Amino acid sequence: MFEEASAPVQKNSIKCKQCDAEVPKLEGFQPWCECGWNLLAIVEERPASVGVDGKKKRDLLDETYIALNKQRGQAVYEKLNRLADFGASFRFSRFCFYTLCLFVWSGSLVSLIFAIATLYYFPFNILTLIFVLVLIALTYVVIPRLESPPADTVSERKCPKLWETISKVSVEIGIERPDALVVDSGFTASSRYYGLTQSKFLTLGLPLLLFLNKDERLALLARELSHFDHRDPARGALSQQCILSLMHWHKMLYPDEILARGEELSAAFGNAAMRCLARIPAALIWLMLRIRWEDSLTCQYLADRCSAQISGKAAAIGLLVKGHFGQKFDTFVQRQTLKKGEKNLFDSLTEFIANFPQREHKKASLQCELAETSLSNDTPPTCWRKKLLEDYEESEPKIVLTAEENELIDKELASLCPSIEKALINEYKIGLMKSGEPLFF
């Protein structure tokens, strides 16, 4: 199947609907043309919520991220591109951001303090008890919580070569290696702090690792570990939970409709007043993200530059492009759940990657040039990240992963496949039942 797709003949072509040019028609892949036909931006968004009308919609956080990206993505790139060293001049904004976090955390305790004061200064009766219980319940709902760290971590005993490579990259960057490693089913990677001790967790998506070559794997490790070096405020558990607390306030105060069907006109005034109150947490969310944004974008660009220093510019750019293959992987898994072959999911994925058409690599590279393309709503547009890497002066990679070492890592990853495969198939079977759209790569 994929061998035929990688070398299409003339009869397997189709006319572009915009410029009438002949373009290859690869089996299982959506046809596209360099004129822009079917060449759409890729944005890996968080799962959308569902409104009262049954339609998916972005929440306040997504809308704020998208607006800030449009306003500041290019401006931060141009600012950093003018500086020879842009790693040490963005600390005051971080101080302001954490000051606001402290303000929000303190504000969440006001209702609890008010409840205690009510019990102390007012006579005890049923109304007082109800009022105090409401305040305590409100405090419980909106107070920031520390997110529990992932339980399924990968020990050094199970993946010694992968841990050894992580240690090498950490030493080269100049940081201590992470406290824990998680390998999951996502087509992404992340570095996060958890708990009061701010333990460092590195999360790597197994499907993404399988798509990457040995140099791109080094680039991925360098990019994610670099966030620990620069203390990216977007990765901190305390700051993120503070913003989520404000989101709770906003959702509680913001009614979906001012006047719902069957409600009296008087309810409209109450709903309108609630929407006005909801503007307060919304304004705080915008202010906190706006203060943090340039600092966080700078950390993203620094991480990209670090990945180029560790593994080479070509590997860093290749990582950016392949990071947008998530939708192709999703469709692959969905199709595999419909088949009843003898091969397991990851054996089929290995074959799929080996026969992946070069034309689709080119398509993804062109999509990365579009201004709207980004790895997620809270990351800079890929076109500016790619441009900054292309402007970076080429140098010899600081670490080289040999073919033998990469093969050992592959064997270690293979031992993790069965459990992740089971989770993926269950997840996408549910997704198939909910989706009525055609499956294209």
Side-chain angles (χ1 to χ4, degrees), residues 380-393:
T382 304
C383 61
W384 301 118
R385 297 175 69 176
K386 190 167 178 280
K387 178 67 174 171
L388 198 68
L389 284 172
E390 290 171 346
D391 294 340
Y392 177 69
E393 184 178 349

Side-chain angles (χ1 to χ4, degrees), residues 187-413:
F187 200 89
T188 184
S190 64
S191 46
R192 291 279 306 276
Y193 295 95
Y194 286 94
L196 287 173
T197 59
Q198 294 289 275
S199 300
K200 297 184 293 186
F201 276 67
L202 175 64
T203 302
L204 304 174
L206 179 59
L208 177 59
L209 286 172
L210 295 179
F211 264 87
L212 303 178
N213 62 35
K214 60 185 183 67
D215 295 328
E216 291 162 350
R217 286 178 177 179
L218 279 176
L220 177 66
L221 294 177
R223 188 179 74 185
E224 296 306 322
L225 292 171
S226 176
H227 286 291
F228 291 132
D229 184 30
H230 302 109
R231 304 289 296 186
D232 186 350
R235 311 282 170 143
L238 299 177
S239 61
Q240 195 63 25
Q241 288 303 309
C242 185
I243 293 174
L244 291 178
S245 175
L246 289 173
M247 285 291 298
H248 281 305
W249 279 103
H250 183 265
K251 288 178 180 178
M252 290 174 60
L253 294 173
Y254 194 90
D256 289 328
E257 295 180 345
I258 292 181
L259 183 61
R261 181 178 296 180
E263 289 186 341
E264 296 182 0
L265 185 61
S266 58
F269 293 101
N271 290 336
M274 293 289 286
R275 284 198 173 189
C276 290
L277 287 174
R279 296 290 181 182
I280 298 175
L284 283 173
I285 290 172
W286 185 90
L287 180 61
M288 292 182 71
L289 291 180
R290 178 63 183 84
I291 292 174
R292 188 186 77 178
W293 197 247
E294 189 162 329
D295 195 353
S296 185
L297 288 190
T298 303
C299 288
Q300 291 280 359
Y301 287 124
L302 278 168
D304 290 334
R305 187 179 69 169
C306 180
S307 68
Q309 291 172 338
I310 296 295
S311 62
K313 184 164 70 173
I317 294 175
L319 170 62
L320 271 182
V321 174
K322 289 184 179 179
H324 292 286
F325 284 2
Q327 294 177 4
K328 302 180 189 296
F329 171 72
D330 289 345
T331 307
F332 168 80
V333 176
Q334 288 174 348
R335 287 186 169 181
Q336 287 300 118
T337 57
L338 298 175
K339 297 180 180 180
K340 295 182 179 179
E342 296 180 358
K343 294 182 180 179
N344 62 39
L345 176 65
F346 284 103
D347 285 343
S348 300
L349 179 61
T350 302
E351 181 181 343
F352 173 70
I353 294 171
N355 295 292
F356 195 76
Q358 187 62 34
R359 178 173 170 79
E360 290 302 307
H361 281 277
K362 183 178 180 181
K363 178 184 179 181
S365 183
L366 291 174
Q367 287 174 309
C368 289
E369 302 292 340
L370 302 176
E372 296 83 8
T373 295
S374 63
L375 287 174
S376 65
N377 287 337
D378 57 349
T379 58
T382 304
C383 61
W384 301 118
R385 297 175 69 176
K386 190 167 178 280
K387 178 67 174 171
L388 198 68
L389 284 172
E390 290 171 346
D391 294 340
Y392 177 69
E393 184 178 349
E394 185 66 82
S395 60
E396 289 294 322
K398 293 184 177 180
I399 300 177
V400 176
L401 194 65
T402 66
E404 292 76 15
E405 290 174 327
N406 192 53
E407 187 176 344
L408 286 175
I409 292 176
D410 281 332
K411 290 180 179 179
E412 294 172 357
L413 295 177

